[in-house]
Amino acid sequence: MGNWVVNHWFSVLFLLSDATWLGLNIFLFVHAFQSYEKADKYYYTREVLGSALAWARASARCLNFNSMLILLPVCRNLLSFLRGTCSFCRRTLRKQLGHNLTFHKLVAYMICLLTVIHIIAHLFNFEHYNRSRQARDGSLAFVLSTLSHKEKREDSWLNPLQSPNMTVEYVTFTSIAGLTGLIITVALVLMVTSAMEFIRRSYFEVFWYTHHIFIIYIIGLGIHGIGGLVRGQTEESLNESHPHRCAESFKHWDDQESHCKHPQFEGLPAESWKWILAPGVLYIFERILRFYRSQQKVVITKVVMHPSKVLELQMNKRGFSMEVGQYIFVNCPSISYLEWHPFTLTSAPEEDFFSIHIRAAGDWTENLIRVFEQQPSPIPRIEVDGPFGTVSEDVFQYEVAVLVGAGIGVTPFASILKSIWYKFRHADHNLKTQTAGHATLNFDKATDILTGLKQKTSFGRPMWDNEFSTIANAHPRSVVGVFLCGPQTLAKSLSKRCHQYSSLDPRKVQFYFNKENF
């Protein structure tokens, strides 16, 4: 009962993880907005820019926060480490780690939204800068916009448009903030558009190359605020000429007898680099580790061409250790030095080799299959990075497991079924799973268990309500893991039925849905 309570609360905690992330975004936005909207330091800045200042700075704060998070879900070694070290909350935390790419996409969408807000706010800021510089009406905004000339000090300016002839375009293309802002916006647009489902599935190479523009995005973001384009009053100037005391007498700032002097301003210190430094360093170590592992020699021990243009590669690599359901990244330098593609391992941990099955689904895979078809020419060199964990690793943590694969999506479960077969043969008493009898019998026979024919029976698409109802009745007090490697439409259907057929009583049957994402 104690373990159930722990797991239950961890399950609730991580179900709320997305809500927590959204709540942190809202908190950071509101906190920053209120700071720039009310702080005395920005009193004169608000006089020129209005509320657009707060909108720009609040969105920038949240952009920094999400840019800090965007790399973490793709640090695959970090995720594998967390997955391997989690024990007491194994089924809950590890399940959430399988949603890393979903979270990566959510953060990316938030970055896009915040970028739009930030750009629009700065467009208003530049319009306000331009109007106040052109006003010539003796208003406080006009006086503040001409301070650099009156004071004859380069550091006293508030308005970056320091002459009536200076244009917004000139400031945009000659300032660090403007130029880096344009660069990172273009980089973001290219990354997001190339990551669309259609492009990623049909033109993976375009997605792969374009997505690495993130390096330009991260570097540009890190130096974006160095120019200090948005400014606030200095602490010394606040003490000497506080705006609450001196703003209304701005026309007398030049008087010798006046106790209020011209306010002095300073650029805001760059903040973005502080947010992205730690995850950036972590990601660099991640890439170094992956590069080191990829350089270790891979020996291809067997090549099999299956029907429907499916290539099977059996390989060996020193020190390679895997679990069921894991995947690797594969590179073939003779095709492309830079492209790495993920493939699920189809071998079992008990076997003395590791294998993958590759279906022709794009230029890279078609070229790879073509190269291996050209036998007896020399076998091309293959580089392997991994293995990396997925939710399927947890299959043996369930008493009952339901494996659903569609098309090439059956490959993760080949490893699981083989491993179950080996565990039964060696009488592995640590195996919790009870329902592998049919799989072992069918796997170990040359003919179909039902018909006796060499052609195995194909059951087609199951009637899911009947399947779930049968499992729930047969295992009224079990925890059932439902694992899918297949399309999103099927995922929605299975997820819905997992909720539908789970008992409200936590002591009775519970269905947990797990989907492969890599």
Side-chain angles (χ1 to χ4, degrees):
M1 184 67 179
N3 286 338
W4 175 85
V5 171
V6 171
N7 277 329
H8 172 73
W9 282 109
F10 268 96
S11 179
V12 172
L13 173 65
F14 287 102
L15 283 174
L16 294 175
S17 59
D18 289 346
T20 303
W21 163 74
L22 184 60
L24 285 172
N25 272 284
I26 294 173
F27 169 77
L28 288 171
F29 191 95
V30 172
H31 182 268
F33 190 94
Q34 291 296 321
S35 296
Y36 286 95
E37 189 72 4
K38 297 184 179 299
D40 294 337
K41 180 180 181 70
Y42 308 106
Y43 180 95
Y44 290 123
T45 315
R46 291 193 300 272
E47 191 66 30
V48 176
L49 301 179
S51 293
L53 167 69
W55 282 98
R57 300 310 299 169
S59 57
R61 181 72 56 81
C62 292
L63 269 171
N64 290 335
F65 171 65
N66 285 279
S67 296
M68 175 187 73
L69 297 177
I70 193 71
L71 290 177
L72 297 180
V74 292
C75 288
R76 302 178 191 275
N77 286 297
L78 172 64
L79 296 178
S80 295
F81 172 77
L82 293 175
R83 189 184 297 276
T85 54
C86 179
S87 55
F88 70 94
C89 55
R90 202 171 184 81
R91 201 157 41 220
T92 51
L93 176 58
R94 287 162 65 101
K95 183 173 182 291
Q96 294 303 318
L97 292 174
H99 297 160
N100 60 314
L101 293 185
T102 301
F103 183 67
H104 178 74
K105 293 174 185 177
L106 281 176
V107 173
Y109 294 146
M110 180 62 78
I111 288 176
C112 292
L113 174 62
L114 293 167
T115 299
V116 171
I117 296 173
H118 190 69
I119 290 173
I120 292 174
H122 272 314
L123 289 175
F124 277 101
N125 284 338
F126 274 121
E127 177 61 23
H128 292 149
Y129 279 138
N130 189 48
R131 285 185 179 182
S132 62
R133 193 66 184 84
Q134 301 288 343
R136 299 188 179 279
D137 56 0
S139 63
L140 176 56
F142 173 74
V143 172
L144 291 169
S145 296
T146 58
L147 278 182
S148 60
H149 298 284
K150 292 184 177 181
E151 287 290 287
K152 296 182 180 179
R153 287 178 55 182
E154 292 184 359
D155 62 345
S156 65
W157 60 272
L158 177 62
N159 191 333
L161 303 179
Q162 296 183 27
S163 74
N165 299 324
M166 189 177 291
T167 64
V168 172
E169 292 77 12
Y170 176 82
V171 174
T172 301
F173 286 98
T174 58
S175 65
I176 294 176
L179 196 57
T180 56
L182 282 174
I183 292 173
I184 61 180
T185 300
V186 171
L188 183 63
V189 169
L190 291 174
M191 286 189 291
V192 171
T193 53
S194 66
M196 295 171 62
E197 187 76 11
F198 168 74
I199 295 178
R200 197 171 73 251
R201 295 293 181 188
S202 303
Y203 306 98
F204 185 84
E205 294 82 0
V206 174
F207 159 74
W208 179 261
Y209 286 119
T210 308
H211 226 58
H212 282 75
I213 299 176
F214 84 90
I215 298 172
I216 297 175
Y217 173 86
I218 293 295
I219 294 174
L221 183 67
I223 62 177
H224 181 59
I226 290 179
L229 206 61
V230 177
R231 301 166 73 81
Q233 193 173 3
T234 65
E235 287 297 322
E236 182 182 353
S237 178
L238 272 172
N239 295 331
E240 183 182 60
S241 304
H242 199 282
H244 290 176
R245 187 177 70 251
C246 298
E248 293 184 357
S249 59
F250 70 92
K251 293 184 178 179
H252 303 287
W253 285 347
D254 290 327
D255 296 347
Q256 293 290 337
E257 299 81 9
S258 175
H259 294 288
C260 295
K261 305 299 181 183
H262 290 100
Q264 302 296 317
F265 299 96
E266 61 184 356
L268 304 184
E271 293 185 354
S272 298
W273 68 271
K274 300 176 184 178
W275 291 83
I276 62 177
L277 180 62
V281 171
L282 181 65
Y283 187 78
I284 290 172
F285 277 110
E286 163 91 9
R287 298 303 301 187
I288 292 173
L289 176 59
R290 291 176 64 177
F291 175 77
Y292 169 75
R293 291 195 313 196
S294 70
Q295 297 305 302
Q296 295 175 326
K297 185 179 180 180
V298 175
V299 178
I300 299 175
T301 58
K302 189 175 183 180
V303 178
V304 182
M305 285 303 307
H306 294 285
S308 302
K309 294 200 75 173
V310 174
L311 170 68
E312 178 185 355
L313 296 180
Q314 296 182 9
M315 297 167 279
N316 277 320
K317 181 180 177 180
R318 189 179 64 181
F320 189 92
S321 177
M322 62 164 287
E323 298 291 339
V324 295
Q326 292 186 326
Y327 66 98
I328 58 175
F329 276 88
V330 175
N331 170 263
C332 182
S334 63
I335 298 176
S336 172
Y337 282 102
L338 300 178
E339 288 186 47
W340 291 81
H341 293 254
F343 294 96
T344 304
L345 290 165
T346 54
S347 52
E350 293 82 359
E351 294 176 305
D352 59 358
F353 62 88
F354 63 95
S355 65
I356 57 175
H357 285 67
I358 303 169
R359 182 187 63 178
D363 293 342
W364 190 89
T365 51
E366 289 178 355
N367 289 335
L368 184 68
I369 292 174
R370 190 179 302 115
V371 167
F372 277 96
E373 284 178 332
Q374 295 171 358
Q375 297 297 332
S377 60
I379 294 178
R381 182 166 63 93
I382 292 292
E383 295 179 353
V384 168
D385 180 28
F388 301 106
T390 69
V391 292
S392 293
E393 284 185 59
D394 297 337
V395 65
F396 296 139
Q397 300 300 316
Y398 294 90
E399 297 174 358
V400 182
V402 179
L403 310 180
V404 182
I408 198 69
V410 301
T411 52
F413 307 135
S415 172
I416 294 171
L417 295 175
K418 286 182 183 180
S419 186
I420 290 175
W421 183 72
Y422 279 111
K423 290 179 188 297
F424 267 86
R425 286 193 63 183
H426 296 93
D428 188 343
H429 299 292
N430 295 322
L431 182 64
K432 292 183 180 179
T433 309
Q434 304 170 353
T435 58
H438 176 78
T440 53
L441 287 172
N442 207 13
F443 186 86
D444 202 21
K445 292 182 179 294
T447 59
D448 187 84
I449 190 171
L450 296 179
T451 65
L453 302 175
K454 290 184 177 181
Q455 177 65 40
K456 301 294 182 69
T457 301
S458 175
F459 294 96
R461 178 171 293 185
M463 301 294 290
W464 294 120
D465 288 315
N466 293 342
E467 295 291 337
F468 275 82
S469 178
T470 301
I471 294 170
N473 292 330
H475 307 279
R477 293 185 179 275
S478 294
V479 177
V480 182
V482 179
F483 296 84
L484 169 69
C485 187
Q488 188 61 33
T489 52
L490 184 55
K492 291 180 180 179
S493 177
L494 291 176
S495 179
K496 178 181 177 181
R497 284 168 174 81
C498 284
H499 289 293
Q500 179 181 344
Y501 287 92
S502 290
S503 173
L504 294 176
D505 186 344
R507 295 169 296 180
K508 296 184 178 180
V509 64
Q510 301 290 320
F511 288 88
Y512 286 85
F513 178 68
N514 304 269
K515 184 179 185 301
E516 291 285 345
N517 293 291
F518 58 85

